[in-house]
């Protein structure tokens, strides 16, 4: 048999999409179904799945061995334990070994000889109540986690505490007061005002809330309403410490879908996709339920509210990968491949999902669109700062006296968020360091919080806004342990598509685990990661480590810039 080249494989995947329906996530779904029925490794069942859909074995073995949910050993009882930053900070990471001991897990394989398997994941979205685990799809959280997993205590999963600090919430109106969704969409689609939707979003200055901060209207304009355009709502909220997207998808899914519908309308798209990370089973169920209601109410379908507009929205479940939240990696996953970043150009707005023009916006971004269309872009632009407009959902971790999700205006001082809204740390502890925007977002010293919550303000301090999750570290966690945690995250979540990141993240972990200063080797590695990594994941590792070194000063000597 002749070898399968890239073009042939693309044709095969394209044929799969044509046969089974766009987007081409059916391969991943089929692999997930096969995974659920066996404890065996992917090599024993993935080729069979490939044959069933007419693909070479390698086409299924690639994603099956890449995605954590597919590759991890599964027994009849499968427990996913959060190893992300907020849960790590809650008990200095001790809960992982405690769960292994309590369930009889063999650490070397993350499986057991009995009927229980364990998988470390990042993250489960219970950062406000950590440490956390999912026992099947049942969440267990808090200091009594072991008792819940062993049956001595009932499972505990408190609701997300939610507070508005703006006086006129853009995103939390439905969550806090039950403000109904789908109030904007019927009149907009009936009036046929596509240009008005785009112009209001442009006037608002809305930027993406997933980390890159790209102007939303510019991305929408880039697709040019080309035939076959697709809009993807990215619900793969991977930044440990953030649970804003989980909140919106669980508590106000109809508003998220209305934002997707308005984005599709403005972009001339007849197809929308909502990707929900597998670590959010409740959000997945709520979004699917809301899609069903939307069709029943006439908001979606072949003739939306009796107009010539046709719009379909599908819900796709992720399979466990941090990097697969990056838009090109996300698209690769939707097409049935490994969730690895792709070089740009071409950009997804030109050649995206199945080569169609594709707009990818995260859930929080799209949830703001109904407010903007209803109240006007200028009203939104008056919020926040002149260059970074609007509001932002900020998530505070379990170490805070008042953890939870807060809607604030961009530009709000970080110190105010920490001390006034969050009430400082529990038991009056002083913050030693504050992680902002995920492990690769960056760190601020506990006594250097006089910085505005903006991308520009945080970047000037070596940090990044990201999803704006704030994880506090107190003195119970040693700086060396935090450093090693960052490198463990980088090593575990690197997609492996490029050597600088794949090899560099592992070497960084080795250096962080040693008892010596990294010296010039870290300087060389930092330059390689920054200049040669394929995507922002690898490029963000050095700034994150440098910011952590600045936050702890002499206690992490040798790791600074």
């Amino acid at each position: 048999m002749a070898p399968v080249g890239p073009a042939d494989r693309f044709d095969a995947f394209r044929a799969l999409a044509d046969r089974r329906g766009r987007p081409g996530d059916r391969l991943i779904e089929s692999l997930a179904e096969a995974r659920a029925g066996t404890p065996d490794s992917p090599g024993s069942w993935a080729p069979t799945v490939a044959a069933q859909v007419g693909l070479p074995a390698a086409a299924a073995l690639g994603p099956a061995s890449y995605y954590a949910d597919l590759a991890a050993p599964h027994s009849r009882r499968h427990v996913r334990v959060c190893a992300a930053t907020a849960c790590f900070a809650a008990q200095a990471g001790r809960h992982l070994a405690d769960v292994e001991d309590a369930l009889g897990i063999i650490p070397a394989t993350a499986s057991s000889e009995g009927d229980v398997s364990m998988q470390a994941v990042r993250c489960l979205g219970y950062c406000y109540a950590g440490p956390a685990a999912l026992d099947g799809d049942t969440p267990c959280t808090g200091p009594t986690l072991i008792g819940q997993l062993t049956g001595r205590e009932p499972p505990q999963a408190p609701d997300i505490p939610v507070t508005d600090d703006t006086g006129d919430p853009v995103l939390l109106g439905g969550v806090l007061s039950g403000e109904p969704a789908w109030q904007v969409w019927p009149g907009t689609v009936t009036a046929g005002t596509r240009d008005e939707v785009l112009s209001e979003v442009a006037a608002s200055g809305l930027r993406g809330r997933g980390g890159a901060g790209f102007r939303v209207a510019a991305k929408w304009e880039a697709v040019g309403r080309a035939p076959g355009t697709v809009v993807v709502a990215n619900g793969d909220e991977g930044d440990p410490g953030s649970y804003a997207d989980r909140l919106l998808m669980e508590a106000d899914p109809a508003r998220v879908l209305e934002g997707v519908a308005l984005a599709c309308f403005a972009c001339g798209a007849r197809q929308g996709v909502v990707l929900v990370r597998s670590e959010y089973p409740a959000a997945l169920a709520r979004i699917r339920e809301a899609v069903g209601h939307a069709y029943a109410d006439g908001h979606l379908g072949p003739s939306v509210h009796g107009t010539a507009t046709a719009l379909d929205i599908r819900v796709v479940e992720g399979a466990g990968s941090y990097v697969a939240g990056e838009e090109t990696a996300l698209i690769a996953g939707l097409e049935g491949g490994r969730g690895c970043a792709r070089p740009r150009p071409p950009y997804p707005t030109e050649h995206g999902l199945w080569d169609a023009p594709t707009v990818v916006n995260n859930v929080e971004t799209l949830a703001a669109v109904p407010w903007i269309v209803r109240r006007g872009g200028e009203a939104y632009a008056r919020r926040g700062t002149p260059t970074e407009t609007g509001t932002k959902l900020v998530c505070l971790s379990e170490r805070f006296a008042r953890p939870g999700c807060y809607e604030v205006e961009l530009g709000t001082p970080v110190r105010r968020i920490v001390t006034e809204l969050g009430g400082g740390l529990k038991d009056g502890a002083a913050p030693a360091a504050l992680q902002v925007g995920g492990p690769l977002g960056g760190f601020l010293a506990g006594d250097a919080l006089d910085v505005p919550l903006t991308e520009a303000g945080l970047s000037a301090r070596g940090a990044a806004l990201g999803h704006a999750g704030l994880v506090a570290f107190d003195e119970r966690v040693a700086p060396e342990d935090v450093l090693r945690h960052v490198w463990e995250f980088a090593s575990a979540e690197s997609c492996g598509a490029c050597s600088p990141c794949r090899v560099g993240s592992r070497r960084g972990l080795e250096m962080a685990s040693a008892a010596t200063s990294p010296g010039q080797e870290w300087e060389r590695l930092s330059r390689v990661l920054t200049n040669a990594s394929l995507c922002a994941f690898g490029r963000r590792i050095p700034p994150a480590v440098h910011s952590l070194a600045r936050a702890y000063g002499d206690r992490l000597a040798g790791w600074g810039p």
Side-chain angles (χ1 to χ4, degrees):
M1 178 181 294
V4 177
D8 298 320
R9 185 164 297 168
F10 178 81
D11 289 342
F13 276 120
R14 190 64 183 268
L16 172 67
D18 291 341
R19 290 198 306 272
R20 311 270 306 202
R22 292 177 60 187
D25 61 288
R26 300 299 187 184
L27 176 61
I28 302 298
E29 289 182 354
S30 297
L31 291 170
E33 291 171 1
R35 163 81 283 177
T38 177
D40 298 332
S41 63
S44 64
W45 48 264
T48 302
V49 174
Q52 290 171 349
V53 296
L55 291 174
L61 281 169
S65 60
Y66 171 81
Y67 291 103
D69 291 352
L70 303 178
H74 280 54
S75 295
R76 264 189 302 188
R77 179 187 177 194
H78 188 60
V79 179
R80 286 175 283 181
V81 183
C82 185
T85 315
C87 288
F88 171 80
Q91 294 184 356
R94 293 188 300 272
H95 67 290
L96 290 170
D98 291 344
V99 171
E100 289 177 344
D101 291 342
L103 299 182
I105 302 296
I106 302 172
T109 61
S111 65
S112 75
E113 296 178 349
D115 294 329
V116 185
S117 55
M118 184 185 108
Q119 176 187 353
V121 298
R122 306 165 182 83
C123 94
L124 296 175
Y126 289 92
C127 317
Y128 58 94
L134 283 177
D135 190 352
D137 285 344
T138 301
C140 303
T141 68
T144 61
L145 176 65
I146 302 303
Q148 296 169 53
L149 291 174
T150 55
R152 297 195 303 270
E153 298 193 26
Q156 299 177 17
D159 292 336
I160 298 173
V162 180
T163 302
D164 170 55
D165 185 56
T166 70
D168 182 14
V170 171
L171 297 156
L172 295 181
V175 178
L176 290 171
S177 62
E179 178 185 285
W182 297 114
Q183 300 302 299
V184 177
W185 174 240
T188 301
V189 70
T190 302
T193 52
R194 297 180 189 271
D195 291 338
E196 289 186 18
V197 174
L198 183 57
S199 65
E200 293 296 350
V201 172
S204 74
L206 178 66
R207 293 179 178 270
R209 299 302 192 221
F214 195 78
R215 283 190 176 272
V216 172
K219 183 179 285 191
W220 292 5
E221 289 170 343
V223 296
R225 294 177 183 161
T229 294
V230 180
V231 172
V232 178
N234 184 357
D236 197 355
E237 179 181 46
D239 278 351
S242 179
Y243 42 90
D245 287 355
R246 183 195 141 215
L247 168 69
L248 293 171
M249 290 188 289
E250 289 184 10
D252 202 3
R255 195 171 313 277
V256 174
L257 295 178
E258 185 176 19
V260 176
L262 289 165
C264 288
F265 190 58
C267 295
R270 298 165 60 94
Q271 176 75 52
V273 180
V274 182
L275 174 71
V276 184
R277 64 200 317 256
S278 63
E279 295 89 343
Y280 289 177
L284 183 68
R286 289 302 313 279
I287 285 286
R288 284 176 169 163
E289 180 185 18
V291 167
H293 289 313
Y295 275 102
D297 294 339
H299 299 311
L300 306 175
S303 177
V304 176
H305 292 299
T307 69
T309 297
L311 178 59
D312 289 303
I313 295 178
R314 296 189 60 246
V315 181
V316 177
E317 182 179 5
S321 168
Y322 175 84
V323 173
E326 189 273 340
E327 62 178 10
T328 64
L330 178 152
I331 289 169
L334 290 176
E335 292 175 342
R338 293 163 60 96
C340 299
R342 298 171 174 173
R344 292 178 287 185
Y347 293 93
T349 50
E350 301 168 349
H351 300 282
L353 185 62
W354 302 118
D355 209 32
T358 304
V359 167
V360 181
N361 291 133
N362 90 313
V363 162
E364 183 181 340
T365 306
L366 292 167
V369 174
W371 191 98
I372 291 170
V373 175
R374 182 176 76 249
R375 300 280 290 273
E378 291 185 1
Y380 187 87
R382 288 193 290 269
R383 320 288 290 274
T385 73
T387 55
E388 298 185 42
T389 62
T391 68
K392 184 77 187 73
L393 295 182
V394 177
C395 299
L396 304 188
S397 70
E398 174 271 345
R399 285 290 85 200
F400 286 92
R402 291 190 290 271
C405 185
Y406 296 79
E407 183 166 0
V408 304
E409 292 202 11
L410 283 168
T412 301
V414 172
R415 183 176 297 281
R416 179 173 180 273
I417 296 172
V418 169
T419 60
E420 296 182 27
L421 302 183
L425 270 57
K426 289 181 177 178
D427 303 321
L434 183 73
Q435 174 193 286
V436 185
L440 305 186
F443 295 81
L444 299 174
D447 58 358
L449 304 180
D450 293 313
V451 54
L453 188 80
T454 61
E455 181 59 42
L458 290 166
S459 295
R461 299 290 187 91
L465 180 61
H467 278 84
L470 303 187
V471 177
F473 288 91
D474 54 31
E475 290 293 346
R476 299 181 311 158
V477 184
E480 298 80 8
D481 292 339
V482 181
L483 175 68
R484 188 164 50 251
H485 172 79
V486 171
W487 280 111
E488 287 173 347
F489 174 86
S491 178
E493 294 295 339
S494 173
C495 76
C498 69
S499 297
C501 183
R502 181 181 66 252
V503 178
S505 60
R506 294 173 183 173
R507 179 56 188 144
L509 177 57
E510 293 173 355
M511 293 161 60
S513 301
T516 59
S517 174
Q520 293 186 346
E521 183 178 359
W522 165 230
E523 296 178 13
R524 290 192 296 269
L525 178 59
S526 175
R527 290 194 297 271
V528 170
L529 285 166
T530 301
N531 298 322
S533 294
L534 177 62
C535 77
F537 183 91
R539 294 193 294 268
R540 277 298 313 169
I541 296 173
V545 172
H546 290 157
S547 68
L548 180 64
R550 280 192 296 268
Y552 280 109
D554 293 341
R555 300 167 73 182
L556 288 180
W559 288 96

